Amino acid sequence: MASPRLSVGLDIGGTKTLAVLLGDDGEVLAQSRLSTALGPVGVVDGAARAVQGVVRQAGVTLDAVTGVGVGVPGLVDAGAGTVRHAVNLGLDGAALDLSTLLSARLGGVGVGVENDLNVAAVGAAHLVEAEAGDRTPTDLAFLALGTGLAAGIVLDGRLRRGSHGAAGEIGHVPVDPAGPPCACGQRGCLELYASGSAVTALWPTATGRPAPVELFEAAAAGDPDALVARATYARAVAAAVRMLVLTVDVQHVVLGGGVSQLGQPLLDVVRDALVDESAASGFLRSLDLPGRVRLAPGRVAVGAVGAAVVGRGAVAHARDLAG
Ligand SMILES: [Zn+2]
C-alpha cells in the first residue's frame, strides 16, 4: 500500500502561527495555533516547532510528511524560498533563507515559501473546490480587507503572481484623483476607501473594539450616520469586487482579512451594493457580481491550508530538480 501523501502548512502572522496537516485527499487532519516567535532565529525555530507539533497531534511522524509550505507576510522570493522585509516578524531587509533553514531542521523535507496573501488565495481555492465536490481548477480572487487592500489571484487553479509580483495590488488603483494622498505616493487609492483602515477612518472606535464591529452594530441599531458610513464602505468594497471580476473574470471573489470576520452582515451589504450598481447596467447584471462574492468556506485557517497545498508543490519541485 502506498503511504499517504501528507503535507503541513504554516501561516506565520505577527502574533500567531496557524498550522494544519493536510491529508492525501486534501482534507484537514489536524490544526493548531501557537504564538509566533520573532526574529530570524525565532521564526525558524517557531516554524520547526509548529510542524512537529501538528504532526504529533495527528499521531504520525515527520517521515510521513512529503512537503511543508509556509506563508509569511513580507517580500517573498518563492523560487529561492526566501523572505525579507517582514517587519511584523522582526525580519529586516536581509533575506532569510527560510526554505533551506527549515528544511534542515526537518530532516530535509521540501519547504515552499509564499507570501501570506497568496497562500490565503490558494487555500480558499482548495476549500471552494472541495466544497463543490470536484477538483475542477477554479478561478478565484481572495480580497484581503486588512490594514491595506490587495487580492491574491488563482487562475485555472494556479497562483498568478504577475511578472513583478504585483498581480492583485488593486489597493493602489486610484479611484479619486482629487482624493487624499496615499502612502504609495498617489492620491485617492482604493485602499483608502475599502481597507480595514478605511473603516477606522470612517467610524473611529469609541470603545477600543474593532471599528468594523462598532460600525456594523451601530448601523444594525439604526444609527443614521452609521447607515451612511456602512453603505459608503460597502460601495468601496463592491468597487474592488467589480475591478477584479472585470479584469480577470474570476468565478469567486472571497472576502478575507480582518474586516471579513464580520461574516454574513458584511457579505449582505456588499451584495446589496453590487445589486444597486448593476441596476442601470444590463452588462453588469449579466456578469452576476453579487453571486460571485462570498466568504471563505468552513472554519479552518485558509492561509495554513493554502500553505500546505504549496508544500505539496515544494515536493514536486524538489523531484523535478532531482530528476
Ligand atoms: Zn496607493
Side-chain angles (χ1 to χ4, degrees):
M1 195 182 86
S3 52
R5 206 172 59 119
L6 306 179
S7 67
V8 174
L10 303 181
D11 187 7
I12 304 180
T15 54
K16 59 183 188 297
T17 294
L18 300 170
V20 304
L21 179 71
L22 211 60
D24 231 359
D25 299 325
E27 74 282 22
V28 174
L29 299 176
Q31 53 181 325
S32 71
R33 168 194 291 239
L34 291 87
S35 297
T36 296
L38 305 181
V41 173
V43 166
V44 176
D45 276 356
R49 273 202 310 277
V51 172
Q52 286 153 349
V54 78
V55 162
R56 203 163 43 233
Q57 190 185 325
V60 297
T61 62
L62 259 183
D63 301 343
V65 173
T66 54
V68 172
V70 187
V72 282
L75 287 179
V76 169
D77 180 336
T82 61
V83 56
R84 59 196 168 90
H85 286 302
V87 180
N88 292 341
L89 302 184
L91 304 179
D92 57 16
L96 175 68
D97 190 352
L98 186 53
S99 175
T100 304
L101 293 169
L102 184 56
S103 179
R105 291 285 298 271
L106 299 172
V109 65
V111 175
V113 182
E114 192 52 80
N115 167 281
D116 56 350
L117 179 57
N118 287 342
V119 293
V122 170
H126 179 84
L127 294 168
V128 165
E129 288 165 16
E131 187 185 63
D134 72 48
R135 287 281 161 195
T136 308
T138 194
D139 285 352
L140 173 146
F142 183 91
L143 178 61
L145 309 169
T147 309
L149 179 82
I153 296 174
V154 172
L155 298 177
D156 286 330
R158 294 175 65 91
L159 181 64
R160 174 68 189 168
R161 297 188 187 89
S163 62
H164 293 72
E169 289 286 357
I170 60 168
H172 297 291
V173 174
V175 290
D176 179 5
C182 178
C184 77
Q186 305 182 93
R187 281 185 170 275
C189 290
L190 183 57
E191 175 167 298
L192 299 171
Y193 307 93
S195 64
S197 309
V199 182
T200 309
L202 265 176
W203 198 261
T205 176
T207 64
R209 291 182 305 151
V213 172
E214 291 195 358
L215 170 61
F216 275 63
E217 274 183 11
D223 180 324
D225 293 337
L227 286 166
V228 171
R230 189 182 66 179
T232 301
Y233 181 68
R235 276 197 303 276
V237 176
V241 171
R242 196 172 54 227
M243 203 177 281
L244 288 165
V245 171
L246 293 180
T247 308
V248 278
D249 196 12
V250 280
Q251 182 62 38
H252 308 279
V253 178
V254 175
L255 302 181
V259 182
S260 72
Q261 287 171 14
L262 289 167
Q264 192 66 39
L266 173 69
L267 183 60
D268 288 344
V269 295
V270 172
R271 280 188 172 149
D272 287 349
L274 289 165
V275 169
D276 284 352
E277 289 167 3
S278 300
S281 167
F283 166 63
L284 279 186
R285 272 202 307 283
S286 75
L287 297 176
D288 184 25
L289 274 68
R292 300 194 197 204
V293 66
R294 57 167 298 165
L295 299 166
R299 300 201 59 78
V300 290
V302 281
V305 168
V309 174
V310 167
R312 290 174 161 178
V315 184
H317 183 59
R319 283 184 185 148
D320 286 349
L321 291 178

